[in-house]
PDB file of all heavy atoms in Angstrom:
ATOM      1  N   LEU A  96      -0.993   1.954 -10.203  1.00  0.00           N
ATOM      2  CA  LEU A  96       0.170   2.187  -9.332  1.00  0.00           C
ATOM      3  C   LEU A  96       1.287   1.244  -9.745  1.00  0.00           C
ATOM      4  O   LEU A  96       1.095   0.025  -9.783  1.00  0.00           O
ATOM      5  CB  LEU A  96      -0.208   1.923  -7.866  1.00  0.00           C
ATOM      6  CG  LEU A  96       0.973   1.922  -6.881  1.00  0.00           C
ATOM      7  CD1 LEU A  96       1.581   3.317  -6.735  1.00  0.00           C
ATOM      8  CD2 LEU A  96       0.543   1.407  -5.512  1.00  0.00           C
ATOM      9  N   VAL A  98       5.957   0.984  -9.814  1.00  0.00           N
ATOM     10  CA  VAL A  98       7.292   1.544  -9.587  1.00  0.00           C
ATOM     11  C   VAL A  98       8.263   0.715 -10.422  1.00  0.00           C
ATOM     12  O   VAL A  98       8.153  -0.527 -10.467  1.00  0.00           O
ATOM     13  CB  VAL A  98       7.641   1.474  -8.076  1.00  0.00           C
ATOM     14  CG1 VAL A  98       9.088   1.861  -7.826  1.00  0.00           C
ATOM     15  CG2 VAL A  98       6.698   2.371  -7.273  1.00  0.00           C
ATOM     16  N   GLY A 104      11.615  -0.919  -3.279  1.00  0.00           N
ATOM     17  CA  GLY A 104      12.141  -1.231  -1.947  1.00  0.00           C
ATOM     18  C   GLY A 104      12.720  -0.023  -1.254  1.00  0.00           C
ATOM     19  O   GLY A 104      13.503  -0.152  -0.323  1.00  0.00           O
ATOM     20  N   GLY A 106      10.476   2.862  -0.780  1.00  0.00           N
ATOM     21  CA  GLY A 106       9.342   3.680  -0.346  1.00  0.00           C
ATOM     22  C   GLY A 106       8.752   4.578  -1.416  1.00  0.00           C
ATOM     23  O   GLY A 106       7.981   5.484  -1.092  1.00  0.00           O
ATOM     24  N   ALA A 108       6.512   3.790  -3.723  1.00  0.00           N
ATOM     25  CA  ALA A 108       5.059   3.544  -3.786  1.00  0.00           C
ATOM     26  C   ALA A 108       4.364   4.214  -2.602  1.00  0.00           C
ATOM     27  O   ALA A 108       3.302   4.825  -2.759  1.00  0.00           O
ATOM     28  CB  ALA A 108       4.774   2.048  -3.801  1.00  0.00           C
ATOM     29  N   SER A 136       4.014  -7.958  -3.586  1.00  0.00           N
ATOM     30  CA  SER A 136       4.453  -6.718  -2.930  1.00  0.00           C
ATOM     31  C   SER A 136       3.308  -5.731  -2.779  1.00  0.00           C
ATOM     32  O   SER A 136       3.243  -4.998  -1.796  1.00  0.00           O
ATOM     33  CB  SER A 136       5.526  -6.038  -3.765  1.00  0.00           C
ATOM     34  OG  SER A 136       6.745  -6.653  -3.609  1.00  0.00           O
ATOM     35  N   ARG A 139       1.113  -6.653   0.146  1.00  0.00           N
ATOM     36  CA  ARG A 139       1.871  -6.399   1.393  1.00  0.00           C
ATOM     37  C   ARG A 139       1.969  -4.902   1.672  1.00  0.00           C
ATOM     38  O   ARG A 139       1.847  -4.460   2.812  1.00  0.00           O
ATOM     39  CB  ARG A 139       3.267  -7.020   1.310  1.00  0.00           C
ATOM     40  CG  ARG A 139       3.253  -8.532   1.396  1.00  0.00           C
ATOM     41  CD  ARG A 139       4.641  -9.058   1.733  1.00  0.00           C
ATOM     42  NE  ARG A 139       5.620  -8.753   0.691  1.00  0.00           N
ATOM     43  CZ  ARG A 139       5.829  -9.486  -0.399  1.00  0.00           C
ATOM     44  NH1 ARG A 139       5.123 -10.576  -0.587  1.00  0.00           N
ATOM     45  NH2 ARG A 139       6.725  -9.142  -1.295  1.00  0.00           N
ATOM     46  N   ARG A 143       0.589  -3.150   4.975  1.00  0.00           N
ATOM     47  CA  ARG A 143       1.570  -2.478   5.837  1.00  0.00           C
ATOM     48  C   ARG A 143       1.154  -1.030   6.105  1.00  0.00           C
ATOM     49  O   ARG A 143       1.381  -0.503   7.187  1.00  0.00           O
ATOM     50  CB  ARG A 143       2.937  -2.511   5.143  1.00  0.00           C
ATOM     51  CG  ARG A 143       4.086  -2.103   6.015  1.00  0.00           C
ATOM     52  CD  ARG A 143       5.423  -2.406   5.359  1.00  0.00           C
ATOM     53  NE  ARG A 143       5.683  -1.629   4.178  1.00  0.00           N
ATOM     54  CZ  ARG A 143       5.824  -2.135   2.947  1.00  0.00           C
ATOM     55  NH1 ARG A 143       5.721  -3.429   2.735  1.00  0.00           N
ATOM     56  NH2 ARG A 143       6.058  -1.344   1.916  1.00  0.00           N
TER      57      ARG A 143
HETATM   58  C1  COA B   1       3.720  -2.854  -5.643  1.00  0.00           C
HETATM   59  C2  COA B   1       4.821  -1.850  -5.997  1.00  0.00           C
HETATM   60  C3  COA B   1       4.164  -0.577  -6.576  1.00  0.00           C
HETATM   61  C4  COA B   1       5.590  -1.511  -4.713  1.00  0.00           C
HETATM   62  O1  COA B   1       6.584  -0.519  -5.018  1.00  0.00           O
HETATM   63  P1  COA B   1       7.785  -0.133  -4.033  1.00  0.00           P
HETATM   64  O2  COA B   1       8.090   1.301  -4.274  1.00  0.00           O
HETATM   65  O3  COA B   1       8.892  -1.104  -4.126  1.00  0.00           O
HETATM   66  O4  COA B   1       7.110  -0.263  -2.610  1.00  0.00           O
HETATM   67  P2  COA B   1       7.824  -0.043  -1.238  1.00  0.00           P
HETATM   68  O5  COA B   1       9.222   0.484  -1.387  1.00  0.00           O
HETATM   69  O6  COA B   1       6.930   0.794  -0.380  1.00  0.00           O
HETATM   70  O7  COA B   1       7.896  -1.516  -0.649  1.00  0.00           O
HETATM   71  C5  COA B   1       8.506  -2.602  -1.360  1.00  0.00           C
HETATM   72  C6  COA B   1       9.364  -3.424  -0.408  1.00  0.00           C
HETATM   73  O8  COA B   1      10.483  -2.685   0.039  1.00  0.00           O
HETATM   74  C7  COA B   1      10.517  -2.615   1.446  1.00  0.00           C
HETATM   75  N1  COA B   1      10.939  -1.251   1.819  1.00  0.00           N
HETATM   76  C8  COA B   1      10.225  -0.099   1.717  1.00  0.00           C
HETATM   77  N2  COA B   1      10.987   0.931   2.146  1.00  0.00           N
HETATM   78  C9  COA B   1      12.196   0.401   2.505  1.00  0.00           C
HETATM   79  C10 COA B   1      13.401   0.947   3.003  1.00  0.00           C
HETATM   80  N3  COA B   1      13.547   2.250   3.228  1.00  0.00           N
HETATM   81  N4  COA B   1      14.434   0.101   3.229  1.00  0.00           N
HETATM   82  C11 COA B   1      14.315  -1.220   3.004  1.00  0.00           C
HETATM   83  N5  COA B   1      13.190  -1.794   2.524  1.00  0.00           N
HETATM   84  C12 COA B   1      12.166  -0.995   2.286  1.00  0.00           C
HETATM   85  C13 COA B   1       9.117  -2.877   1.888  1.00  0.00           C
HETATM   86  O9  COA B   1       9.063  -3.442   3.194  1.00  0.00           O
HETATM   87  C14 COA B   1       8.630  -3.856   0.824  1.00  0.00           C
HETATM   88  O10 COA B   1       9.006  -5.189   1.112  1.00  0.00           O
HETATM   89  P3  COA B   1       8.036  -6.424   0.708  1.00  0.00           P
HETATM   90  O11 COA B   1       7.742  -6.327  -0.767  1.00  0.00           O
HETATM   91  O12 COA B   1       8.837  -7.613   1.058  1.00  0.00           O
HETATM   92  O13 COA B   1       6.781  -6.251   1.515  1.00  0.00           O
HETATM   93  C15 COA B   1       5.839  -2.436  -7.024  1.00  0.00           C
HETATM   94  O14 COA B   1       6.314  -3.676  -6.529  1.00  0.00           O
HETATM   95  C16 COA B   1       5.241  -2.631  -8.408  1.00  0.00           C
HETATM   96  O15 COA B   1       5.259  -1.719  -9.225  1.00  0.00           O
HETATM   97  N6  COA B   1       4.743  -3.851  -8.707  1.00  0.00           N
HETATM   98  C17 COA B   1       4.186  -4.172 -10.036  1.00  0.00           C
HETATM   99  C18 COA B   1       2.914  -3.414 -10.329  1.00  0.00           C
HETATM  100  C19 COA B   1       1.811  -3.691  -9.328  1.00  0.00           C
HETATM  101  O16 COA B   1       1.633  -4.817  -8.870  1.00  0.00           O
HETATM  102  N7  COA B   1       1.055  -2.626  -9.000  1.00  0.00           N
HETATM  103  C20 COA B   1      -0.063  -2.704  -8.071  1.00  0.00           C
HETATM  104  C21 COA B   1      -1.335  -2.864  -8.836  1.00  0.00           C
HETATM  105  S1  COA B   1      -2.702  -2.924  -7.691  1.00  0.00           S
END
Side-chain angles (χ1 to χ4, degrees):
L96 171 68
V98 172
S136 282
R139 288 197 297 275
R143 191 169 66 244

